[in-house]
Amino acid sequence: MLQLYIGNKNYSSWSMRPWVLLRQAGIAFEEVPVRFDSFDAGSQFKRQLQAVSPTAKVPVLVDGGVSVWDSLAIAEYVAEAHPDKHLWPQDKAARARARSVTAEMHSGFTALRSHCPMNIEARLPEVGALLWRDQAGVRADVQRLVQMWSELLEQHGGPMLFGAFTIADAFYAPVCMRLATYALPLPEPIAAYVQRVQALPGVKAWIDGALAEADFREFEEPYRLGR
C-alpha cells in the first residue's frame, strides 16, 4: 500500500495537498505522521524523514521501493498510476490550464503564504483585517485568486474549478483554509467555492484530523502565544 508521510495537519499545507487528493479520489494509502518538533538537522522530524527522502521534508509518498517527494511530483505520480480517477481534466486544453494554475499555486502567492500561514484550528479575523489593510501583496494575491477562480467556475460551471474535483482543487484547498482562518474579504461566488471545498469529504476529514491534534507548535504560530 502507498505510504504518505505528512506533518502536523493543523499547519502543514504542503502535506494537505496530496493527502486530500488521495482521500478525495478514494485511493488507499497509509498515513505516516511526522510531528513537527523542529526543523534542525538533528531533530526527530529530520531523522525520520531522511530514511525516505533526500530533502527530509514533507510530504513524501512511498510506493514500494519508490519515494516521491514534493507535492506536485506526488500528484503527477498518482495521476499516472490511476488514470481511471481522472485527476486532471480529460480535455487537453482544460488539462493544460489545470496544470498551469496548479503550478502557479505551487510556486506563487508568496505574500499570502508568508503572512497567512495555515492554521486550521485558529480563527484570526482581526489579524486578517490588519494584513488586508497593510499588506499590498496579500491583497494582490487574493485579487489574483478571485480572478482565476471566477473565470474557471464560470467556464466550467462548477462546483469545482474544472467542474469535477481535480488536482487543482486539492492544491488550492490549503488556500481556502487560509482565507477562512483570516476572514479575508471575498465576493460571494468565491466565498461559496471556499465553503464547497471545505465540505468535500477529503477536506473535511483533514480538518477533523487537524482539530483533533491539539498540538500547539509555537514556531508555527506568529500571531498567538497559546491555544
Side-chain angles (χ1 to χ4, degrees):
M1 181 182 291
L2 296 173
Q3 291 182 308
L4 183 66
Y5 289 72
I6 62 169
N8 286 50
K9 289 181 178 176
N10 192 50
Y11 304 117
S12 185
S13 59
W14 297 92
S15 300
M16 184 181 183
R17 301 170 189 175
W19 194 99
V20 164
L21 178 66
L22 291 167
R23 183 67 174 263
Q24 186 65 24
I27 299 170
F29 68 99
E30 176 190 353
E31 173 186 314
V32 184
V34 186
R35 182 176 183 260
F36 287 169
D37 56 353
S38 80
F39 303 113
D40 296 335
S43 67
Q44 178 61 33
F45 177 83
K46 289 292 187 182
R47 291 199 303 271
Q48 185 171 350
L49 287 169
Q50 282 168 352
V52 292
S53 167
T55 64
K57 297 178 180 179
V58 288
V60 183
L61 184 74
V62 176
D63 184 10
V66 177
S67 289
V68 188
W69 57 95
D70 183 274
S71 57
L72 186 52
I74 292 170
E76 290 284 13
Y77 182 86
V78 172
E80 288 182 4
H82 297 274
D84 58 306
K85 298 294 186 180
H86 306 302
L87 299 179
W88 290 118
Q90 292 183 267
D91 176 77
K92 181 179 180 180
R95 189 163 61 250
R97 183 78 179 277
R99 281 194 163 104
S100 295
V101 299
T102 299
E104 183 177 351
M105 170 66 261
H106 193 250
S107 61
F109 300 99
T110 54
L112 180 65
R113 288 157 66 170
S114 174
H115 294 290
C116 302
M118 192 173 83
N119 192 331
I120 291 173
E121 178 269 332
R123 287 295 174 265
L124 302 169
E126 298 87 357
V127 174
L130 291 174
L131 292 171
W132 190 259
R133 184 192 69 185
D134 297 338
Q135 299 296 333
V138 171
R139 297 194 300 272
D141 281 352
V142 173
Q143 182 181 11
R144 170 59 186 147
L145 288 169
V146 169
Q147 175 195 31
M148 176 202 301
W149 292 354
S150 297
E151 291 174 355
L152 293 173
L153 291 168
E154 181 178 354
Q155 180 178 354
H156 298 282
M160 297 291 106
L161 295 179
F162 291 87
F165 173 83
T166 68
I167 290 169
D169 300 294
F171 267 63
Y172 282 101
V175 174
C176 292
M177 302 312 303
R178 287 178 164 98
L179 295 172
T181 293
Y182 298 91
L184 299 179
L186 301 170
E188 191 281 328
I190 301 305
Y193 169 71
V194 169
Q195 292 174 352
R196 291 196 298 273
V197 169
Q198 291 177 299
L200 289 171
V203 175
K204 188 176 185 305
W206 179 275
I207 293 171
D208 290 344
L211 296 178
E213 283 178 343
D215 187 16
F216 185 85
R217 303 279 77 201
E218 65 281 354
F219 51 83
E220 292 284 353
E221 293 272 0
Y223 304 119
R224 302 192 301 175
L225 298 177
R227 295 182 73 249

